[in-house]
Every structure is written in C-alpha cells, then in structure tokens.
Amino acid sequence: MSNIPKDLQYTQSHEWIRRLGDGQVEIGITDHAQGSLGDLVFVEVPDVGRRVKAGESCAVVESVKAASDVYSPVNGKVTASNTELASRPELLNQDPYGAGWLMRVELDAAAAAAPFLSAGDYANTLAEAAG
Amino acid sequence: MADLQLREPVIFDLSKPGRHAGSQFPPRVPGTAPGRIPAHLRRATPPPLPAVSELQAVRHYTRLSQMNFSIDTHFYPLGSCTMKYNPKACNTYAMLPEFLARHPLAPEPQGFMACMYELQEMLKAITGMQGVSLTPMAGAQGEFAGVAMIRAYHRARKDLARNQIIVPQAAHGTNPATAAMCGCEVKEIPCDANGDVDIEALRAAVGPNTAGIMLTNPSTLGVFEHKITQVAKIVHDVGGLLYYDGANLNAILGKVRPGDMGFDVIHMNLHKTFSTPHGGGGPGSGAVGVGARLAPFLPIPIVGKDGAQYRWLSERDLPQSIGRLSGFMGNAGVNLRAYIYMRMLGREGMVRVAEFAALNANYLMKRLQAAGYEAAYPTRRASHEFIITLRREYKLYQVTAMDVAKRLLDYGFHAPTTYFPLLVPECLLIEPTETETKEDLDRFCEAMIAIRQEMEREPGKLSSAPHTMPVRRLDDVRAAKQLDLAWVPAA
Amino acid sequence: MAFIPHTPDDVARMLETIGVQSIEALFDEIPAALKITALDAVPPALSEMEVGRLLMERAARDGRPLNFIGAGAYEHHIPAPVWAIATRGEFYSAYTPYQAEASQGTLQLIYEYQSMMCGLTGMEVSNASLYDGASALAEACLMAVRANRASSSRRVLMPRAVNPTYAKVAAAIAGNQDIGFEPVDYDREQGRTLLDALQAYSGQDFTALVLQQPNFFGNLEEVGALSDWAHANKILVIAVVNPTSLALLAPPGRWGADIVCGEGQPLGIPLSSGGPYFGFMATRMQYVRQMPGRIVGRTLDVEGRPGFSLTLQAREQHIRRSKATSNICTNQGLMVTAATIYLSLLGAEGLERVAAASMQRTDDLVTALTRVKGVRAAFSAPRFHEAVLLLDRPVAPVLAALAHRGIVGGLDLGGSFPELGPALLVCATETKLDTDIGAYAAALSEVMTQSRAGAAA
C-alpha cells in the first residue's frame, strides 16, 4: 500500500502537484513510483529558469534497474530545483512528498485548468493497474 | 571489515617499479627520431601501467579466468544468447598465421575471401534472402543497418513521411534503441495472451507513416509467431517493410527461412547461431541479409567475384549503399570462425541444430513443469527456449527470479536470463541449446527441484545466495552511487 | 553428428517425457506452407580434419608478404602469453558478465582495462569498449551532441586530416540523427590542420571538433592550440588517438580533450584482415552518463568484500530502450582481454620502447626510400610512425609490382586525397628489421628503374 496524501493532486504518470499559492506549484514523484524504481542512484533536475510544457520530459530518475523520465504536468518556468538530490538521491525514496521534491514551477498566466487526479482517483488507477 | 580482500589483487597492486617482462621489449633501434617530438607535444610522465614480470602477468590473468563461469566449464542456459559449444577447430583454423598477418588494405587475399564469399552464399541459402553483407560487427549494428536500409529505401522512393518503426512490447531493448538511433519514432504494440503479436493492435498501428516493423520469430517469448504471414501482409499492404531480428535463428535453422516468411531484411547473430565465441562480451558479428528490394542499400564492403577473382565491392559498385559501418570490413576473424563452423555442420548438421535445440528445450520445459514450475505459455511448444515465471513463488515465499538465479550458481549452473522479456513477471528465460546432453539437463532439473524445496523450507538460503562464489551478492546500488570506475595511482 | 551428443536412446526417452512421437512434432506450430526440408545449397559436412586441410590450403594461398601499411591498423609484435590466455575457455566462452558473482574474472579484467585506458589517455573514466575506432568516433559525435548544452547546431568540424574512412563511418552512423559534418582542409606543405583554417569558423555554432593525433598522414597536430580555440568557441573536443603513441605523446586529457576515442588494435590484436578489433572511449566524469557502452565499477558484496559489477546500466539499451545512449549490446570483450594482458606485459617502459622503435623504423624507411630516384617525402610536420611519400609516377602499378615481389608497400592515397598527386602512405613498426627495410628499398629501386618516370606501367 503506497502513501497518497490527500492534500495533493496527481497524474497518470505518477507525478504529484502541491499548490503553493501565488501561481506556484511544487512537483515530485509518488511513493508508488519511488517504490517501483527501487533505490535511486541518480536524479537529474531541470535548470532554474527553464521553460517546461505539460507532457514534456523535464527530469530523470535512475535506479540500478530502471531510468525514468519525469513529465511536467504543467506549462511554466522552473523557479527552483532540488539540487540536494544530486548528492543524496535516497531522499526521494525516503520522503517522496517532502525532502524528495523535484522542482517548483511558476505557472504560465494562461494555464488551462489542468485535469489532475485527486488522491482517491490516483489510488483507483493504481488498484486497477495491479489487477 | 578490513580483512576481506579481493581474491586476486588488481594488477596495479602486484606491480613494482623497475620490474618488467624484459623479453617482450623490442630491440633498441639507434637513431634520433623519438627525440624530435616537440617538447610541448611530448608526454611528461610515463602512463601508470603495470610493472610486473611475465610470470606475474600470466599467473594473474590465469587466476582471474578461473573465477569465471563459461561454456567450457558450466552448463549455461542463458535464454536468447544461444550458449552452445564453441568448437576449438574454429579458433585454431581462424588463427592460422597467414590469416592473422593480413593487413586489411593489402591486395585482396584470395584464400580468405573465398571463405567470406562462401559464407555469404550459405547465409543467403539458410535465410532465403538475395543479398548478404558481413560488415555489421554485432547484432545491434546489424539492426542499425537493417533499419537504415528501410529508411533509405523509402527515401529513394521519395516516401519521406515514413519514419515510424513498430516494435512489439516484448522486443529486445536493442530494437527500440536502434530505431531511435536511426532517427525513427518507435511505436510499441502489445502481444496477445498466447504470446503472438496482437493483430488488431497491429492493424490500428500501421498507416502511411509506417516505415516498417521489427520482429523476432520465434519471439522473445519463446514461441513461434503463428500469424506471421498475416502480419507480413498487413505491413506490406500499407507499404511498410519487415525486419527480422535473427537472435532466435537457432530455433528454425533448416526448418523455415525468414525470406519465405515475408521478411525484407534480417540480421543474424553469428555469435549465437553460428557459435563464434562470446568472449566475455563479444566480439560478435551481425551479418545482414536482404530481399531484392533492399539489395542496392547493403552496407559495404561486400565480397564480390569477377570470374575467378574475389574482390571487395565498395561505393562504386553500390552507389546507394547506406555506407560503411566499420573502419575495414567488420569482424573478419569472427566471420571466419562462423564459416568454419558451418562447414563442419554441413547441410545435414544445420538441419539438426533446430531439431535438437527444440528437443532439449521442450524436454526441459516438461520436466520443470512436472516439478511444479509455471511456464509462461504452458499451451505453446517451446521453440529453442522457454520462459518460467516465478510469480506464484514470489507471492507464496517472496522468492524472486534473481534469488533462484543466484542460488543456481551454488549448484554449479550459470543462471538463465532473468527479467527478460520485461512483460513476464519474475521470469527466467531458459535456452539449453543442442550441444547439451540429457544427463546435464537432468542434473539442472535436479538442482531446480532442490531449490524448490529450499523455497518452502529455508527461503533465506535463496535470498542470500550465492554462497560459494568468489564474492557474495554484490551491492549494485553502491556501485552506481559511489562510482569507482578506475584504479588511480596514489597521489 | 557434429557437436550434438544425443543417442537414439536419449531421443526416445526425451520424446516420451515430452509426449510426442517424433522431433518433427515439435515443429507443428509452424505453418506447413513455410516449412523447408533440406538446405541443398549448403555443402555437405566436413570432418575437422577436412576443414583443417581446406583452411590451410587457403591460408597458404594468401601467404605472408612483408607489410608496410598502417592507415589505422598496425603490425606489432604480439607477446605469446596474450592469446594463450585470451583463448582459455574461461575467457573465450564466457558471456557478458551480467551475473556478476559468476564473472569476477572478466569484470576485474575490464576494471583493470578501464584503469589502463584512463592512465594512457589522461581521462577520468573509460568504457569497456565499442566495436572499433571508426564506430567509436561516430558514437563520440552522438555523445558530444547529447553533452554539449551550449550548442544546438548538431554540426561537427571534421578535419580532412582525420582518417577518411572514419569520417565516412561517422556520417553513415550519425547522419541518421541529423548530424552534419563540416570538413576543414589541411595545409599542403605541413600535412596538418592549421589554426587559421579553424578560425574561419570562430563565433559560429558547432557542437564538436574532431582532432586525430597523430593524424591520418602520421603527422603531429598542434593539438593544444586547436583545442584551446574550440573551447573558446564553446565547442567540445573529440580526440582520436593511437594508443601506442600515448607512450610518447602528451595524453589528450592534458591538452583539452572532452571525449577520447580510437582504435585499440595496436595493443596485442592481430591484423587479421580488418577485425575483430576494438574501439576505446574515455571521457571526463561530468559526461559519464552520456557515454555509451558498458562500464564496470568496483563495489562491495553483502559481507563487505570488494568485487566488481556492471554499473550505470540504466543508460543502456536493455533498460532505457529507445532513450538509450546507444543501441550497443555485445561489444568486443575478448579483444579487451587481449589488450589488457598486452599492456600488463609491456608496461609503460615496454610500450615506450615499441613506440620509439616504430618511430625510428619509419624514419629509417623514409630515408631509405627517398634515396630512390622519383620518391620524396610529402610533408614537413613532425610525424609519429607513418609518412606520406610522393612519387613521380602513378602509384598503383608501383604497388602492384612490389606486391609481385612479396611486399605490401603502402596505401595509395589517390582515392581520398587526389590533390596530392601520386601519394603513398607508408608505415614501419618495431617489427621491421634492417633487412626488411633494405629489401623494400631494393625492390622499389628495381621497380622504379624498370618503368620510366611519368609513364603508366
């Protein structure tokens, strides 16, 4: 059973979004995602100032058995990225919703209402996939 | 734990300044030429290479070799790798001094070229193709050549929209990697419950952008694609071409020919089907065969014959070639070993390869099923290999395929391939090959039966395996996080 | 039956266990229309004795002429232990070391190889090999495009003094990913790439500059100055180097290379008509995740014992699939085994002796051959162990006449460098004795005297 905090929103590709107010969001990957990857050995976060588009790969997480792209759920500009993960990728495994955050993004003004999943919907998609 | 050392130190730790293998030094040549290297281009300090005696070097590398499992020492049922016996004669005759001494740019050596020409002809006959190039240096390069030829064919016909390559989800990782390397988009399609390509998904996936499809037959799931003729028609009807990944050729040698199945281009792994040595990771050889449509695009050089004289065909002879993939003509010595092997098998022997590979694989599958193991496709015949899934054992005992693989090492067997294909959970892909005796297969079954009992009674023995190797289970995570990729001299 | 051990009794018992009447039944899933029954175009089986005779006859037909070609493949003495050990079954018939605990021999050897290549090239990390020098250059260009974030042009500067076949291979392999190559001419008098020629591109967007040292003509490039220019223009430097020369020449890590590649054949690998050889690649740690090919790392086992395993596999095809750094899977493991043993036997001192002797022998060869009327040296730059000679008549007939006398005289450069006129690339390594050089000079003198200068033979 993976941890799925109720106060966050989610995507089908296992990213979470935390609204910070002021048109800013914080993004990471879920407990389920970090569990299936296994012990992370490397995390590549985007440069501050980079523009990202929804659906575009913006980060990479790598374990010994897999390397996965992280897809930006939003359009915007990266205002901060978690450089701590470069030396301590295990933070993401230990605390995927806290210390393991990946980046913060300032949303584009004209950002459409995004079709994110609630915690409950995300939990359902996991249950369905498990079959 | 300070007292745990490498069984054999790295050679740098055996070195001592001033020590050398003196008889290997060439005689000194009087003259001033080396002194004329301009100072700013000259090396300031010698490179940190070993300094050992000849005996030290011989003993060190001999002792390292003794830590390896190999076909010569162990049954090695690695699925998809075809670990059959590598005949010593292939090495002995490929290493005749005249063959070894020949510079690739010297006038064409007619003896060697005769072997290469005949190899091309035999490969055409076996695969049912019209043209062959021996130049790709491994299966992956063969795949590259194949996809590049498909692209070149469409471009030559001004069909520029075709940039999609369809790849089954179960495909070997080199397939999508190759398609990407060729600048193509990859479109993955699923297989059905029987392990065949999902025909409806295929129909939905093809269209005017389809350059081609990459298929392995028998597939990576160890089963023959029943509907191959239908697949070929669907792809050809939209104007796409069929690429055959020949990694599993051992299963159909002498029984079926890819050219007859409708494939336009194939690569062969000579280091699998034709028994050239795996060498700890190569060298291989990925010869490609093509139908008439793609013949103008073959990678060069190719052996040609003018009357009785053999020569290399190059850019002038094949102006539409996709070009050269190697500095010279590919892995010549590997191709020569394959040639020697094929001459020793002959037509009778070649037909028997698939028969006995299939016999051994089906026998092993039946015995393992009888022992309680679950085959991934229990209603299908094994081709030359088959998949066992440990998903039930994982649920019951938390034993993984990796645990069983590691425990098999303690029983004196190299593990089968694990976790490939990715589709099947906790899987072992097992390929015994035709050169193994029934007794060795039986001993492997006995080990698997014993391991099954351990699963129930002492699963800890499996999760902590291996116990009897030079090292216990290694920490992969540490290897990737704390990168130690080279010995460096103390500052 | 060649290599198949089954007795009729074995077959009967096995068929019974499987539950079929015949082996043919195991192929019942193959559509009948596709089945073939015989391979008549393949000749009948030969015994080992017969195949041995055949191969020995063919080898005898090829013979062993005296070789003076280099051009990317070099004849060096190969110490006897190299292949005696490399062909041990435990190395020869082992697979790629995916099951690390059962492959510590191969893995430790590769780690030692990686270490030696880092030491030779002055770089921080090496991979476990690529197919050959030419394809390694192609991979280096692809890697530079991934690694150079300051450039988006995907264009590579390729001096003409770089091995022309390497340039062709790079285009054939990297061209499919929209990578463009810009040729840079060489100075006709010196036979190398001048800074002026590069400065014409100052301020333009290029991803990488390829520098071959020594270059294809055997001449030494001013690599420091050229490399500095590249970095000032945010261009990555790809060095293509000869490993033997690194015993004497400054390592590329010192003069500014970002990626190093080249052909490892001179390190204990026989010429054998062009392969199998191996490509090496090394780089700075900051680019390690962009580097293709396998990498071995040292780690600990669960009891804290040191050991070796493949690492950073997430970059490779079997995990990353379409986003892999390369599609490479099988590489050239056995050749790396041989090269590692070779370097251990020679050490720094032995390798320097080989390099120095080869330089001197080529110098002696040039001296001897240029004494023949109608032969002169082409270039003035300092050189390693190859040289370009200009003839006063077409090269091909001269080479044919030499071949007739059992001498492979050199490589005719007319195909790739027609602007030089009749030009020949010659090489003499430590394997050439005074008598060999004397024999070549005498034969050349005879050939040149017999045919008149300027006339086609």
Side-chain angles (χ1 to χ4, degrees):
Chain A
M1 275 318 306
S2 70
N3 180 24
I4 308 174
K6 293 205 170 25
D7 60 323
L8 304 179
Q9 290 175 295
Y10 299 87
T11 67
Q12 293 270 20
S13 46
H14 312 289
E15 290 90 14
W16 56 258
I17 304 109
R18 172 180 283 126
R19 297 201 178 265
L20 299 174
D22 263 350
Q24 293 241 23
V25 295
E26 191 177 66
I27 294 163
I29 63 169
T30 65
D31 185 36
H32 168 86
Q34 70 77 20
S36 27
L37 285 164
D39 291 318
L40 292 179
V41 299
F42 181 72
V43 178
E44 186 186 288
V45 291
D47 293 328
V48 170
R50 175 164 155 195
R51 301 213 63 87
V52 291
K53 278 205 319 242
E56 177 191 88
S57 166
C58 58
V60 180
V61 288
E62 186 187 310
S63 68
V64 287
K65 58 178 183 174
S68 269
D69 291 300
V70 178
Y71 300 98
S72 173
V74 297
N75 298 334
K77 192 171 77 170
V78 177
T79 54
S81 42
N82 189 350
T83 48
E84 180 87 30
L85 293 175
S87 50
R88 301 189 56 203
E90 64 273 14
L91 284 177
L92 203 165
N93 293 113
Q94 291 160 6
D95 189 11
Y97 302 108
W101 65 277
L102 286 173
M103 69 197 91
R104 292 185 187 125
V105 176
E106 182 182 82
L107 300 176
D108 281 349
F116 299 136
L117 301 171
S118 68
D121 290 339
Y122 179 63
N124 288 339
T125 64
L126 290 185
E128 267 162 45
Chain B
M1 284 165 252
D3 58 347
L4 286 178
Q5 304 286 339
L6 286 173
R7 179 181 283 195
E8 176 64 23
V10 289
I11 189 143
F12 309 98
D13 289 337
L14 298 173
S15 300
K16 191 165 182 182
R19 189 170 284 154
H20 51 242
S23 66
Q24 299 305 343
F25 289 7
R28 281 196 197 285
V29 185
T32 58
R36 280 183 260 129
I37 299 174
H40 66 285
L41 294 178
R42 195 201 304 268
R43 186 165 199 125
T45 54
L49 293 176
V52 295
S53 72
E54 186 165 321
L55 173 56
Q56 280 185 296
V58 168
R59 190 170 284 163
H60 174 74
Y61 290 107
T62 302
R63 284 164 57 79
L64 285 187
S65 79
Q66 292 170 330
M67 289 197 269
N68 276 353
F69 277 30
S70 64
I71 301 173
D72 275 15
T73 54
H74 295 77
F75 176 44
Y76 217 118
L78 260 187
S80 148
C81 301
T82 312
M83 304 297 283
K84 64 171 85 179
Y85 171 57
N86 302 141
K88 302 292 179 191
C90 299
N91 189 59
T92 301
Y93 298 118
M95 292 192 86
L96 288 171
E98 294 86 349
F99 292 135
L100 292 188
R102 195 66 169 201
H103 192 285
L105 300 172
E108 277 108 329
Q110 295 299 299
F112 169 75
M113 301 282 280
C115 297
M116 294 298 99
Y117 185 82
E118 289 167 19
L119 177 62
Q120 285 175 183
E121 294 300 302
M122 283 194 285
L123 290 176
K124 282 188 219 171
I126 288 166
T127 57
M129 308 304 276
Q130 314 296 312
V132 163
S133 171
L134 300 174
T135 181
M137 292 177 280
Q141 243 208 2
E143 290 180 37
F144 177 89
V147 177
M149 285 192 279
I150 289 175
R151 264 197 104 185
Y153 168 81
H154 290 306
R155 288 193 139 147
R157 305 173 84 234
K158 306 279 188 272
D159 206 345
L160 302 179
R162 289 186 186 275
N163 71 336
Q164 270 183 5
I165 295 281
I166 299 173
V167 176
Q169 271 172 359
H172 192 265
T174 48
N175 289 176
T178 297
M181 243 184 127
C182 286
C184 292
E185 261 176 50
V186 176
K187 211 164 190 182
E188 288 202 341
I189 53 169
C191 64
D192 64 23
N194 286 324
D196 293 320
V197 159
D198 183 331
I199 291 287
E200 289 321 307
L202 176 62
R203 277 194 222 278
V206 297
N209 290 354
T210 302
I213 184 171
M214 294 176 87
L215 279 183
T216 313
N217 195 15
S219 74
T220 56
L221 303 174
V223 296
F224 193 85
E225 286 281 353
H226 279 128
K227 304 181 207 138
I228 184 62
T229 315
Q230 206 182 352
V231 169
K233 185 167 194 320
I234 291 170
V235 175
H236 281 144
D237 281 351
V238 299
L241 297 182
L242 264 78
Y243 175 92
Y244 177 84
D245 179 326
N248 290 336
L249 199 57
N250 214 52
I252 57 163
L253 206 49
K255 295 293 172 195
V256 151
R257 302 188 311 177
D260 299 337
M261 288 194 259
F263 288 97
D264 299 288
V265 50
I266 115 168
H267 91 265
M268 293 155 271
N269 297 66
L270 301 193
H271 47 295
K272 296 186 182 184
T273 321
F274 301 103
S275 202
T276 68
H278 290 273
S285 178
V288 284
V290 293
R293 267 193 282 214
L294 292 180
F297 305 100
L298 279 170
I300 43 179
I302 300 176
V303 188
K305 209 172 173 192
D306 288 339
Q309 190 75 5
Y310 297 103
R311 68 177 182 87
W312 290 116
L313 303 182
S314 65
E315 285 87 350
R316 240 180 319 189
D317 305 289
L318 279 97
Q320 288 183 291
S321 164
I322 55 169
R324 290 175 184 269
L325 301 178
S326 78
F328 300 105
M329 55 70 66
N331 283 338
V334 175
N335 296 329
L336 190 53
R337 284 166 174 77
Y339 173 75
I340 297 166
Y341 173 75
M342 290 171 78
R343 293 307 307 264
M344 286 200 284
L345 284 190
R347 66 173 74 119
E348 319 89 311
M350 238 174 270
V351 166
R352 279 195 289 264
V353 164
E355 291 176 353
F356 284 86
L359 179 67
N360 277 359
N362 279 281
Y363 175 73
L364 204 48
M365 184 169 89
K366 275 287 185 288
R367 282 216 56 195
L368 289 176
Q369 285 176 299
Y373 286 99
E374 183 190 351
Y377 297 97
T379 59
R380 302 291 308 267
R381 291 255 181 261
S383 54
H384 61 321
E385 63 189 6
F386 61 96
I387 304 174
I388 295 286
T389 168
L390 297 172
R391 60 177 174 171
R392 281 190 317 220
E393 290 80 351
Y394 180 65
K395 276 213 179 82
L396 285 172
Y397 311 113
Q398 284 78 58
V399 161
T400 65
M402 189 55 71
D403 295 335
V404 172
K406 300 297 183 194
R407 187 66 178 135
L408 274 168
L409 303 182
D410 291 326
Y411 280 88
F413 299 99
H414 193 281
T417 299
T418 54
Y419 303 106
F420 176 79
L422 299 169
L423 288 187
V424 182
E426 295 304 334
C427 68
L428 297 173
L429 179 63
I430 303 175
E431 180 186 355
T433 85
E434 72 280 9
T435 56
E436 298 296 330
T437 63
K438 177 176 171 296
E439 301 89 90
D440 280 313
L441 301 184
D442 289 333
R443 288 193 313 108
F444 179 77
C445 290
E446 258 90 81
M448 289 292 277
I449 290 168
I451 287 174
R452 199 169 186 77
Q453 287 163 357
E454 286 175 0
M455 275 188 217
E456 294 171 38
R457 295 176 205 161
E458 32 174 357
K461 243 195 162 149
L462 299 180
S463 57
S464 59
H467 302 273
T468 57
M469 296 288 104
V471 293
R472 302 294 306 279
R473 205 178 291 205
L474 290 163
D475 187 344
D476 285 348
V477 173
R478 184 198 167 97
K481 277 169 79 171
Q482 296 183 37
L483 294 175
D484 175 354
L485 308 176
W487 174 91
V488 271
Chain C
M1 286 196 288
F3 316 122
I4 290 173
H6 299 67
T7 66
D9 181 63
D10 291 332
V11 174
R13 286 173 193 262
M14 292 170 81
L15 290 176
E16 201 191 313
T17 301
I18 297 169
V20 294
Q21 301 286 19
S22 68
I23 292 181
E24 260 324 291
L26 299 175
F27 295 92
D28 54 9
E29 289 190 353
I30 300 181
L34 290 177
K35 278 201 199 156
I36 58 171
T37 49
L39 288 171
D40 291 329
V42 176
L46 295 179
S47 65
E48 192 185 285
M49 181 186 88
E50 292 166 301
V51 86
R53 281 290 289 271
L54 173 66
L55 271 292
M56 286 189 283
E57 272 162 23
R58 290 190 170 166
R61 200 192 319 176
D62 292 346
R64 285 189 78 160
L66 202 55
N67 175 58
F68 290 93
I69 308 186
Y74 302 96
E75 182 184 352
H76 290 291
H77 172 72
I78 300 175
V82 171
W83 288 96
I85 297 174
T87 53
R88 284 177 65 89
E90 298 95 326
F91 281 135
Y92 191 87
S93 69
Y95 190 63
T96 306
Y98 288 126
Q99 290 292 349
E101 299 84 2
S103 320
Q104 288 298 292
T106 293
L107 287 165
Q108 180 168 338
L109 184 147
I110 296 173
Y111 179 85
E112 294 178 5
Y113 161 79
Q114 288 169 188
S115 309
M116 294 180 203
M117 294 316 292
C118 287
L120 271 178
T121 59
M123 304 301 277
E124 293 167 325
V125 58
S126 161
N127 70 13
S129 78
L130 300 170
Y131 305 126
D132 71 350
S135 59
L137 176 58
E139 291 279 10
C141 294
L142 292 169
M143 178 179 164
V145 166
R146 288 191 292 271
N148 189 349
R149 299 203 174 171
S151 164
S152 57
S153 69
R154 302 170 79 87
R155 288 199 303 160
V156 174
L157 287 162
M158 184 74 81
R160 288 190 67 218
V162 172
N163 185 322
T165 308
Y166 282 31
K168 283 185 188 153
V169 171
I173 293 176
N176 277 291
Q177 290 188 53
D178 292 323
I179 295 184
F181 295 93
E182 179 78 16
V184 181
D185 214 346
Y186 62 94
D187 178 79
R188 295 286 177 275
E189 192 260 317
Q190 293 188 44
R192 56 187 177 175
T193 313
L194 297 187
L195 189 55
D196 292 357
L198 287 182
Q199 281 169 336
Y201 299 100
S202 293
Q204 292 179 38
D205 182 359
F206 280 92
T207 305
L209 164 68
V210 177
L211 289 176
Q212 183 175 359
Q213 179 76 317
N215 68 24
F216 181 64
F217 302 129
N219 296 326
L220 299 183
E221 300 276 6
E222 286 293 349
V223 284
L226 300 176
S227 184
D228 289 344
W229 171 87
H231 288 142
N233 284 274
K234 301 202 195 318
I235 300 173
L236 289 183
V237 174
I238 297 173
V240 181
V241 293
N242 174 312
T244 310
S245 75
L246 292 177
L248 290 177
L249 299 179
R254 283 306 195 101
W255 48 258
D258 298 293
I259 303 169
V260 176
C261 63
E263 177 54 65
Q265 174 275 328
L267 304 176
I269 314 298
L271 294 172
S272 58
S273 279
Y277 294 165
F278 74 95
F280 57 86
M281 182 182 278
T283 190
R284 305 188 180 289
M285 198 52 88
Q286 73 189 94
Y287 300 124
V288 70
R289 284 187 150 79
Q290 307 308 323
M291 185 166 66
R294 292 189 229 284
I295 304 180
V296 171
R298 179 162 23 183
T299 182
L300 299 178
D301 73 5
V302 292
E303 287 177 351
R305 185 182 288 107
F308 302 92
S309 75
L310 293 175
T311 190
L312 298 181
Q313 292 189 75
R315 305 158 304 120
E316 295 185 63
Q317 52 77 26
H318 56 292
I319 290 176
R320 205 81 166 91
R321 294 175 70 90
S322 62
K323 297 202 173 161
T325 46
S326 164
N327 71 346
I328 191 167
C329 182
T330 295
N331 48 320
Q332 306 288 105
L334 194 64
M335 322 324 287
V336 163
T337 304
T340 309
I341 300 169
Y342 175 87
L343 286 172
S344 298
L345 288 166
L346 289 197
E349 203 187 330
L351 198 64
E352 190 189 322
R353 291 274 291 265
V354 169
S358 300
M359 263 191 90
Q360 188 61 53
R361 296 274 65 174
T362 293
D363 204 53
D364 296 340
L365 180 69
V366 170
T367 303
L369 296 184
T370 50
R371 274 196 205 112
V372 176
K373 188 151 178 280
V375 182
R376 61 190 171 87
F379 300 126
S380 61
R383 56 175 182 250
F384 179 52
H385 68 3
E386 280 183 280
V388 178
L389 301 176
L390 300 175
L391 303 190
D392 64 357
R393 69 199 67 186
V395 170
V398 172
L399 284 180
L402 287 171
H404 214 62
R405 290 162 171 75
I407 295 175
V408 175
L411 179 68
D412 184 346
L413 294 181
S416 302
F417 301 96
E419 69 277 6
L420 290 175
L424 184 64
L425 181 64
V426 299
C427 170
T429 63
E430 86 285 6
T431 58
K432 297 295 164 280
L433 307 175
D434 288 337
T435 44
D436 300 322
I437 293 177
Y440 186 171
L444 184 63
S445 179
E446 199 180 280
V447 167
M448 299 289 276
T449 313
Q450 281 176 2
S451 77
R452 223 166 310 131

